[in-house]
Amino acid sequence: MAGFIQKGAKNILQKNPNDVVFLSALRTPVTRAKKGGFKDAYDHELLAAVLKATLVKNPNLDPAAVQDVMIGTVLAELGGSKAGRMAQNHVGFPASTAFQTVNRACSSGLAAITGIAHSIAVGSIDVGIGGGMESMTRNYGSRAIPTVLWPELKDSPDKDARDCIMSMGLTAENVAERYGVNRADQDAFAAASHQKAAKAQKEGLFDAEIVPVTTRWHPNPEVPEQQEQITVSKDDGIRPTSTPESLAKMKPAFKPDGGSTAGNSSQVSDGAAAALMMRRSTANALGLSSSIIGKWAGTKVTGCKPDEMGIGPAIAIPKLLDYTGISVDEVGIWEINEAFASQAIYCIRKLGIDMEKVNPKGGAIALGHPLGATGGRQLATLLPEMERQGKELGVVSMCIGTGMGMASLIVRE
C-alpha cells in the first residue's frame, strides 16, 4: 500500500491508471434528530435514497459492475448490515454486489470510503461504493454509551479504558481548559459556521451534492395514524440568525462553569451519503473517464487520549501530510468536522491552518453530525466546493469518540 501512495503535490496531481477515483459523491439533506424532516424516516431508507441516486447519477454504469458497498454506521440495530443489504437490493443492485457496514464512531463514513479505496488499490475489487447512514432520532437512546458493559471495565485501573465512555461534551471541556479555548471564541466560531452555511444554502451551493428524499411525516406524535408525505431537499438545522451575542446567552450543557453549549456543539442529526469509486483504468475501460470528479490520495488514522478525543485531527492531519508529502499551505480547502467548537478551534490553531480555508460552507455545528454519515457528507460537500473555488487539494478530517483522529487527502479533477 505504501508503494501505491504518491508523494508530493506534483506526483499526486498526475493521472495514473491505478488511481482510486470518484465518479459521484452524494448525500441526503441532514436534518435535526427528533424534530427535522427525517424524524420519521429510517437510516436504511436514507441509504436507499443515496444508493438509488448514485445509479441515476451514473446511468452508463451497470449496477452489476459494483462489487462491494461499505457503509459507515454507529448506532444502527445489528450494525445496520441486514437492513443496509436489503436497501441496496431494493434499489436495483444485484445479489452479486456485496455489502458490509463499518463502525469507527464519528469517522465511520470516511472509514468506509477508505476501506473501498484500499480494496481498489490492492486489486481486490475494481468498483465500489463507500458512504454512511445514521438515524440519531431512532437510535440515540443510550447517548451512544454501552448499556451492557463488562463491570470490570467501569472500574478498570486504566484511566484511558474508563474514559472511553466519558461524555463527549466533557472531553470538549477538557480540550478548552487544557489548550486555552475561551467561550467567546467558541461562540464566534459557531456563529460563523451558521452564517457560512446559511449563505451557501441561500446561494444554492449545496444543491449539487444533495439528493431530495420523499418520506413520511407524522405531524402529531400523539396521533400516529395521521401521516403526510413530504420531500426533504434542504438541511434544516441551519440558523441564519445566530450571532456570537445570541449564542453567548446559552447555558453550558455539560458542566456548570463550562464553555460548551448546545449552540457551539454539533447537532444530533439524521442523514446518509454515498460515493461511487473505481480504479481509473476501469473508468477508462467502461467509457466513464469524463465522469471522474476527483480521487482519493491517502488516509491516516491515529489514537489519542480518550478524555481529549477532540484533538484527534491535530494528530492525524500531520501524519497524513507526512504520508503524502503535502504541506499545510498546499491544501486549498479543509473539511474538519465541528464536533465541538473548542476542539475544532484548537486543531485549526495547532496546525496553523488559515481559518478562511476551513469549512467554507459551514460545518457540523450548523449542518449537523449524523455520526456514521458525516465522513461521506464532508466529501460530498468538499468536492463541489473545490471545483467552485478552483482548488486542487482538499482534506477531510474528524475527531473520533474514544480518542482517535482520521484524515484523508482528496484531489479534484
Side-chain angles (χ1 to χ4, degrees):
M1 184 67 69
F4 170 79
I5 297 296
Q6 299 294 316
K7 295 199 71 168
K10 181 179 178 180
N11 292 326
I12 288 170
L13 293 173
Q14 291 179 357
K15 298 178 180 180
N16 298 297
N18 289 329
D19 289 339
V20 177
V21 297
F22 298 104
L23 277 73
S24 63
L26 303 171
R27 68 176 181 93
T28 69
V30 176
T31 69
R32 297 176 299 160
K34 299 187 181 300
K35 297 178 181 180
F38 293 145
K39 71 178 182 66
D40 297 310
Y42 298 86
D43 50 6
H44 42 284
E45 176 185 358
L46 304 180
L47 174 63
V50 291
L51 290 179
K52 183 175 181 179
T54 298
L55 294 179
V56 172
K57 181 76 171 177
N58 300 277
N60 296 322
L61 177 71
D62 182 352
V66 179
Q67 295 157 296
D68 197 11
V69 175
M70 188 182 298
I71 297 299
T73 188
V74 179
L75 307 171
E77 182 186 20
L78 301 179
S81 60
K82 288 193 174 181
R85 168 77 166 163
M86 293 170 73
Q88 171 185 297
N89 293 345
H90 178 69
V91 299
F93 289 87
S96 59
T97 300
F99 182 87
Q100 65 173 306
T101 57
V102 60
N103 182 353
R104 197 194 283 273
C106 311
S107 72
S108 297
L110 188 59
I113 290 165
T114 298
I116 291 294
H118 287 171
S119 291
I120 294 171
V122 301
S124 178
I125 65 172
D126 302 309
V127 182
I129 293 174
M133 64 176 182
E134 207 73 72
S135 172
M136 298 185 76
T137 294
R138 291 185 178 273
N139 301 318
Y140 198 49
S142 73
R143 310 294 291 183
I145 301 297
T147 57
V148 180
L149 189 65
W150 180 28
E152 192 165 323
L153 292 182
K154 294 181 180 180
D155 301 316
S156 173
D158 187 275
K159 182 177 183 297
D160 290 341
R162 299 194 307 273
D163 287 346
C164 282
I165 57 172
M166 175 181 284
S167 160
M168 294 296 96
L170 291 180
T171 73
E173 295 290 6
N174 287 343
V175 171
E177 292 169 10
R178 292 173 188 175
Y179 302 106
V181 183
N182 64 44
R183 169 69 186 270
D185 287 347
Q186 293 177 57
D187 289 339
F189 182 88
S193 182
H194 280 285
Q195 290 160 7
K196 287 186 291 185
K199 183 176 185 290
Q201 188 176 69
K202 184 177 180 180
E203 294 176 357
L205 300 187
F206 293 119
D207 294 353
E209 68 200 59
I210 287 180
V211 175
V213 180
T214 299
T215 186
R216 76 207 57 76
W217 172 268
H218 296 287
N220 186 351
E222 297 182 2
V223 188
E225 64 273 14
Q226 185 180 352
Q227 179 175 301
E228 301 173 4
Q229 186 180 80
I230 64 169
T231 297
V232 183
S233 60
K234 293 184 180 298
D235 305 312
D236 66 18
I238 301 169
R239 296 188 293 272
T241 59
S242 286
T243 64
E245 292 75 23
S246 65
L247 292 174
K249 298 176 183 178
M250 301 189 73
K251 294 181 179 180
F254 306 106
K255 55 188 299 187
D257 59 345
S260 291
T261 71
N264 60 35
S265 305
S266 60
Q267 299 180 40
V268 178
S269 311
D270 306 327
L276 175 63
M277 306 166 66
M278 63 182 69
R279 190 175 298 104
R280 187 185 298 279
S281 59
T282 301
N284 293 339
L286 294 174
L288 299 173
S289 56
S290 63
S291 298
I292 295 172
I293 59 174
K295 76 174 181 180
W296 170 88
T299 297
K300 276 292 186 177
V301 64
T302 189
C304 62
K305 290 287 186 181
D307 74 345
E308 56 177 22
M309 65 91 204
I311 72 170
I315 303 173
I317 287 172
K319 291 181 180 294
L320 174 71
L321 298 181
D322 180 66
Y323 182 50
T324 56
I326 296 296
S327 69
V328 167
D329 292 339
E330 288 177 302
V331 177
I333 299 177
W334 301 81
E335 275 288 332
I336 299 178
N337 191 44
E338 300 168 354
F340 299 92
S342 63
Q343 58 80 211
I345 292 170
Y346 166 73
C347 292
I348 294 164
R349 289 175 176 173
K350 177 67 175 178
L351 296 169
I353 296 172
D354 181 352
M355 189 71 79
E356 293 298 315
K357 294 182 177 182
V358 179
N359 303 343
K361 295 189 286 190
I365 289 173
L367 301 174
H369 179 21
L371 304 176
T374 285
R377 194 283 301 165
Q378 290 176 284
L379 176 67
T381 299
L382 173 66
L383 282 167
E385 185 64 13
M386 290 173 71
E387 180 180 19
R388 189 181 76 88
Q389 292 193 25
K391 304 298 184 182
E392 294 179 311
L393 299 176
V395 167
V396 173
S397 185
M398 68 283 291
C399 58
I400 305 169
T402 72
M404 287 177 278
M406 195 171 200
S408 292
L409 180 65
I410 307 298
V411 181
R412 177 187 66 87
E413 294 198 9

